[in-house]
């Protein structure tokens, strides 16, 4: 009888195949694909005697490795990405949340604590994708209501699904529409905080990004126009129409966009600050819309 395939041997083979495809995280990815297949935690890869897997499991594992070999992002294969300690479902057509974006969420939580105390706030997340920003804020800020805007239907479907799984569905409104126009169309007054991680890659640079990004992630989530700044112009320019005087705008930016985005905000905003990511690059800009603070009348 043919010996049953051993789990560890299969992982080694997977690692080798991924190395051949130029994937620098080959060992980790080979392990994570096995964890995904067996629905076991990664800690089990290091303990015990690495059990047999069935020939069928081996065949299915190899199919997953081949998908990754084609440079499909691991997260689209496992359909999940952790963000702010929460699990988000992601599928092709929806941007995979990035760890840098946690800095943006953390800044908004800080702004809330510093300026709104325990007050109720209306927050809008422009270009919500999987809902990573909107749903984390709904989870970590008790007294808030969040409006999550996107043009992508797949994104809104996935964000709604994530909201239900995370138990914040009742605090979030999903709006299909274009940037701040989608908020204006609600005709329900202004917002306290507007947050966005808009597409910000220069159009011409997208094809030179890692194949995981350029071939698999939605262009609509990445392409910020010829200079990468198109969405900042529109969002910053339209803010006075939908953001309360004294309200905050918080934006994720590309590593070299800080001075230009701050330049655009100088006219209408004060208390403008720029925050760096763990790699030391400018990553988040926040500012307060000039004018006196108008406190929200809304209740949860
Ligand atoms: N907020 C998510 C995150 O941080 O993981 C996704 C950010 S992704 C960089 C930008 C998002 O903006 C995409 O989901 C895309 O569909 C959406 N988007 C692109 N153009 C838009 C527009 N004109 N109006 C609203 N959303 C738009
Ligand atoms: N940080 C993403 C990347 O470099 C880009 C996301 C965006 O355009 N907002 O792949």
């Amino acid at each position: 009888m043919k010996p049953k395939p051993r789990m560890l041997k299969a992982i080694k083979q997977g690692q080798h195949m991924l190395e051949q495809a130029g994937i620098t995280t080959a060992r980790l990815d080979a392990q994570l694909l096995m964890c995904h297949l067996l629905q076991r935690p990664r800690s089990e890869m290091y303990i015990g005697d690495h059990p047999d897997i069935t020939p069928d499991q081996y065949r299915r594992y190899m199919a997953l490795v081949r998908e990754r070999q084609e440079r499909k992002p691991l997260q689209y294969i496992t359909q999940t990405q952790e963000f702010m300690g929460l699990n988000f479902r992601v599928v092709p057509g929806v941007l995979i949340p990035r760890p840098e974006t946690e800095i943006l969420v953390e800044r908004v939580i800080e702004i809330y604590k510093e300026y709104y105390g325990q007050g109720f706030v209306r927050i809008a997340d422009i270009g919500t994708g999987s809902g990573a920003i909107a749903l984390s804020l709904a989870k970590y800020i008790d007294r808030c209501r969040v409006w999550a805007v996107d043009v992508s239907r797949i994104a809104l479907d996935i964000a709604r699904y994530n909201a239900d799984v995370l138990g914040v569905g009742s605090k979030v409104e999903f709006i299909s529409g274009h940037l701040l126009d989608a908020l204006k169309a609600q005709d329900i007054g202004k917002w306290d905080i507007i947050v966005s991680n808009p597409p910000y890659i220069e159009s011409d640079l997208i094809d030179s990004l890692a194949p995981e990004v350029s071939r698999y992630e939605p262009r609509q989530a990445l392409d910020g126009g010829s200079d990468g700044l198109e969405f900042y112009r529109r969002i910053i320019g339209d803010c006075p129409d939908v953001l309360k005087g004294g309200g905050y705008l918080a934006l994720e930016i590309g590593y070299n966009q800080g001075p230009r985005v701050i330049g655009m905000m100088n006219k209408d905003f004060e208390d403008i600050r720029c925050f760096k990511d763990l790699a030391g690059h400018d990553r988040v800009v926040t500012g307060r819309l000039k004018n006196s603070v108008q406190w929200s009348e809304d209740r949860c």
Side-chain angles (χ1 to χ4, degrees):
M1 205 174 87
K2 238 171 119 184
K4 281 194 179 154
R6 305 286 293 172
M7 183 177 82
L8 197 61
K9 219 171 150 199
I11 292 175
K12 285 253 160 67
Q13 187 185 352
Q15 176 183 344
H16 181 69
M17 287 164 68
L18 298 183
E19 278 166 1
Q20 299 286 304
I23 293 168
T24 51
T25 51
R27 179 165 178 268
L28 175 67
D29 288 10
Q31 287 180 352
L32 291 174
L33 289 173
M34 183 63 82
C35 296
H36 171 67
L37 178 79
L38 302 179
Q39 291 293 298
R40 308 299 309 167
R42 187 160 165 247
S43 53
E44 285 186 13
M45 298 289 122
Y46 299 106
I47 49 172
D49 59 351
H50 303 296
D52 292 338
I53 50 175
T54 66
D56 181 55
Q57 284 171 328
Y58 175 75
R59 191 182 49 73
R60 284 190 288 142
Y61 177 68
M62 282 300 144
L64 296 178
V65 170
R66 277 192 293 275
E67 279 191 73
R68 183 72 189 99
Q69 236 186 347
E70 297 294 324
R71 304 299 291 258
K72 185 172 187 176
L74 186 86
Q75 296 91 332
Y76 285 156
I77 303 173
T78 62
Q79 301 208 328
T80 181
Q81 172 64 46
E82 186 268 349
F83 180 84
M84 293 295 292
L86 308 169
N87 285 325
F88 286 83
R89 180 178 166 88
V90 287
V91 296
V94 177
L95 189 96
I96 299 163
R98 308 289 204 265
E100 307 87 272
T101 305
E102 294 184 347
I103 297 167
L104 178 64
V105 174
E106 284 162 4
R107 288 318 309 167
V108 173
I109 294 172
E110 288 299 313
I111 286 170
Y112 173 72
K113 286 188 190 154
E114 196 171 339
Y115 300 106
Y116 297 88
Q118 299 289 312
F120 173 82
V121 282
R122 289 164 58 148
I123 302 173
D125 172 27
I126 307 302
T128 201
S130 63
I133 299 169
L135 308 183
S136 302
L137 292 173
K139 193 86 189 166
Y140 294 120
I141 297 179
D142 279 344
R143 303 199 65 227
C144 74
R145 186 156 193 85
V146 184
W147 280 254
V149 175
D150 212 294
V151 276
S152 156
R153 204 202 147 98
I154 309 175
L156 287 173
D157 285 348
I158 290 291
R160 267 195 208 97
Y161 171 91
N162 283 327
D164 289 342
V165 172
L166 294 171
V168 294
S170 62
K171 294 173 78 177
V172 186
E173 299 280 343
F174 296 92
I175 309 176
S176 169
H178 178 75
L179 302 181
L180 303 194
D181 292 346
L183 298 181
K184 274 185 237 172
Q186 299 297 298
D187 200 19
I188 51 170
K190 294 186 174 183
W191 277 257
D192 299 282
I193 299 174
I194 293 179
V195 56
S196 184
N197 169 20
Y200 58 64
I201 314 270
E202 293 169 39
S203 309
D204 287 350
L205 290 182
I206 294 180
D207 289 337
S208 63
L209 300 176
E212 281 83 350
V213 181
S214 62
R215 297 213 317 246
Y216 289 92
E217 293 206 276
R219 211 181 170 94
Q220 194 177 39
L222 300 168
D223 192 338
S226 57
D227 64 357
L229 299 171
E230 200 43 49
F231 286 82
Y232 301 110
R233 281 188 200 96
R234 297 197 228 161
I235 292 172
I236 293 167
D238 285 351
C239 256
D241 292 339
V242 284
L243 182 61
K244 290 178 188 172
Y248 271 83
L249 172 66
L251 297 167
E252 179 169 325
I253 57 164
Y255 73 98
N256 58 357
Q257 296 172 332
R260 285 174 292 166
V261 172
I262 290 170
M264 291 179 207
M265 287 175 70
N266 271 331
K267 179 170 146 273
D268 291 330
F269 289 82
E270 57 195 3
D271 188 24
I272 300 172
R273 296 190 228 178
C274 186
F275 301 89
K276 292 188 189 298
D277 61 20
L278 293 176
H281 299 131
D282 289 348
R283 188 59 60 191
V284 168
V285 173
T286 62
R288 180 171 56 210
L289 190 65
K290 288 177 187 168
N291 220 331
S292 58
V293 179
Q294 297 163 11
W295 293 99
S296 178
E297 294 296 318
D298 306 78
R299 293 289 171 267
C300 293

